[in-house]
Amino acid sequence: MAELTTTLIHHPYQPPAGFGAPQPGVFKASTVFFPNVAAMRQFEWKDKSAYTYGLHGTPTTYTLEERLCTLEGGAQCLLVPSGLAAIATVCLALLRRGDEVLIPDNAYGPSKALAEGELAHWGITHRYFDPMDPADLAAKLSPATKLVWLEAAGSVTLEFPDLCAQVRLCRAAKVLCALDNTWGAGLAFQPFDLQPGQLPTLSVDISIHALTKYPSGGGDVLMGSVITTHERLHMQLKLCHMRLGLGVAANDAESVLRALPSLALRYRSHDETARTLAHWCQQRNEFAQVLHPALPQSPGHVHWRALCGDALGAAAGLFSVIFKPDVNQARVDAFCDALQLFKIGYSWGGPMSLVMPYQLETMRSSWPVYLQPGILVRFSTGLESAADLQADLQQALQHIA
Ligand SMILES: *Cc1c(COP(=O)(O)O)cnc(C)c1O
């Protein structure tokens, strides 16, 4: 008879199989047991037919990966510790010294910092293109171009590019294109079927998603995904991901699994509130421009309509305003400080509404022709009542008078 310490570790009890409940279990592991040495030599994690090590997958992460593939219409998924790590993984897996990556000028800021910092150090060059002018992308594609990033809509300025035209240019140049699909979240449009009903299907090669935002839904998880439809491309990304030692914590994966069933409902609610407030802002005289792809005057509205359905198509809970040029930074800051329900903070997708003033001139190669001059403030709508949020905006606007 073994001693108690040993028995508590090697306990004989096995719970009955067949436990069913609304949420899948959380499997936490670095070590994974093999039934015997032959199995250890045979088990394969790359095709998810077995388990070999916590970093290579658990029932929890395999389940989340499969559900995210369904969400975005992809076939394979990798989980990484943040949205930015998803962008970095794609760049590291696909780019070598001497290669060039093209990035839209309105791209998520840290993606540009990655190119200007790490990629440049490794001899990988980058160029920024005008997201609203396919001719500019066409002109910048060269034999050195190995990857093109796309983003719809821009996450601060909310302009909606002609994504189909951009993908067609990449196809014609035989260059891989990766979409930052965080705004669309797999709900506003299908990244791997951009022209439903038309053949051949127009599709991006890779979709990355900051699960930190809507899929997490809580403002309390950092995670990203890299989704593909081509097995060979997936393997190239997966081996890089494995060699870099990237993985996610089981409890974080569980948080996202728990939030996924309400994703579409939450997205619709964020969307409705953002549209209500964007329309309201358009009636006010403090703003030179209101940016939201569903507003007919917003840059790229026609492309949003074409891709996301019609006027009733989906959009995320983001909109930005550009204050009239006579409203200076101090007054804009006072407006942001005066907001009570909108908290000052980065990111989006959680239950609380957020506000952030941006210094656009420091973020873009040049001031876009389609944007009015003035200070830009971005709002991310949470799940609060739209009427309460509107009242909050109204009281805070008194501070710019
Ligand atoms: C937030 C965000 C990211 C990065 O996600 P993190 O998990 O914060 O690293 C990437 N792209 C877009 C468009 C985002 O909004």
Side-chain angles (χ1 to χ4, degrees), residues 249-284:
N251 286 335
D252 287 347
E254 188 240 2
S255 294
V256 178
L257 279 167
R258 195 164 193 278
L260 276 184
S262 62
L263 175 69
L265 290 174
R266 288 184 284 109
Y267 194 83
R268 192 180 311 150
S269 174
H270 289 291
D271 177 359
E272 276 172 16
T273 305
R275 282 191 219 203
T276 302
L277 298 181
H279 278 118
W280 182 79
C281 286
Q282 246 187 348
Q283 310 308 317
R284 303 280 310 189

Side-chain angles (χ1 to χ4, degrees), residues 212-336:
T212 305
K213 307 290 166 53
Y214 293 118
S216 134
D220 57 354
V221 175
L222 288 158
M223 200 181 293
S225 60
V226 181
I227 295 185
T228 47
T229 53
H230 301 301
E231 182 64 22
R232 246 191 60 203
L233 179 59
H234 172 64
M235 272 310 150
Q236 192 177 350
L237 292 160
K238 187 164 186 143
L239 290 175
C240 174
H241 174 265
M242 185 264 286
R243 292 179 198 122
L244 289 172
L246 298 173
V248 302
N251 286 335
D252 287 347
E254 188 240 2
S255 294
V256 178
L257 279 167
R258 195 164 193 278
L260 276 184
S262 62
L263 175 69
L265 290 174
R266 288 184 284 109
Y267 194 83
R268 192 180 311 150
S269 174
H270 289 291
D271 177 359
E272 276 172 16
T273 305
R275 282 191 219 203
T276 302
L277 298 181
H279 278 118
W280 182 79
C281 286
Q282 246 187 348
Q283 310 308 317
R284 303 280 310 189
N285 58 17
E286 289 90 350
F287 308 118
Q289 204 170 4
V290 180
L291 303 166
H292 183 300
L295 295 179
Q297 301 87 335
S298 199
H301 170 71
V302 288
H303 305 308
W304 170 78
R305 255 183 104 103
L307 196 63
C308 300
D310 48 35
L312 298 174
L318 296 173
F319 70 100
S320 292
V321 295
I322 297 179
F323 280 91
K324 287 195 171 151
D326 60 328
V327 182
N328 65 20
Q329 189 72 60
R331 286 152 91 201
V332 172
D333 292 356
F335 161 77
C336 294

Side-chain angles (χ1 to χ4, degrees), residues 122-134:
W122 294 322
I124 296 159
T125 59
H126 65 273
R127 284 206 284 171
Y128 299 128
F129 63 91
D130 180 346
M132 301 306 281
D133 181 8

